[in-house]
Amino acid sequence: MATPTSPRATGLLDLDVPTWVVAGGSLLVGFGVADLTGVRPLGGVVLFLAALWCGLVWRRARGLPIASGLVLAYLVAFALSHPLGKAISSWPAVLVVSAVVALLAWAVVDRHRAS
């Protein structure tokens, strides 16, 4: 970990935030932003920024193959939330995929970062 006086210590990748919170939460927040504003691309911006940050942190923590797989899982979960939403309604679908993504991020990266 970078020392408080080094330039890297203030970088966004050095934030002590579990990625499972950002990955799972961003799916909820992104959908909420799109739903409340009626501007779907604005929700997409939330998703893009969160996936970018998580992907970079995941790459640093576990390497490019793991990070790529997790970003792919994030994108697949987002895509699957749409047909799932037709079956069980939008918010429940987003809750389900958010929980799956959060659990996956915790299991693959965050539980290893904590130790």
Side-chain angles (χ1 to χ4, degrees), residues 11-29:
L12 288 175
L13 297 181
D14 292 318
L15 294 175
D16 194 24
V17 178
T19 64
W20 71 266
V21 173
V22 176
S26 66
L27 289 162
L28 292 168
V29 172

Side-chain angles (χ1 to χ4, degrees), residues 20-115:
W20 71 266
V21 173
V22 176
S26 66
L27 289 162
L28 292 168
V29 172
F31 178 71
V33 166
D35 192 40
L36 292 172
T37 65
V39 182
R40 292 180 69 160
L42 198 53
V45 169
V46 172
L47 298 178
F48 172 78
L49 292 174
L52 176 64
W53 181 82
C54 286
L56 292 171
V57 172
W58 292 333
R59 186 187 71 177
R60 178 188 280 182
R62 298 297 311 269
L64 185 58
I66 297 282
S68 298
L70 287 170
V71 170
L72 180 61
Y74 181 95
L75 296 173
V76 167
F78 168 72
L80 288 177
S81 71
H82 294 82
L84 185 59
K86 291 180 189 213
I88 65 171
S89 183
S90 299
W91 275 107
V94 173
L95 286 170
V96 167
V97 300
S98 295
V100 169
V101 166
L103 182 60
L104 187 61
W106 175 82
V108 175
V109 176
D110 291 320
R111 74 183 168 122
H112 299 288
R113 287 175 70 205
S115 54

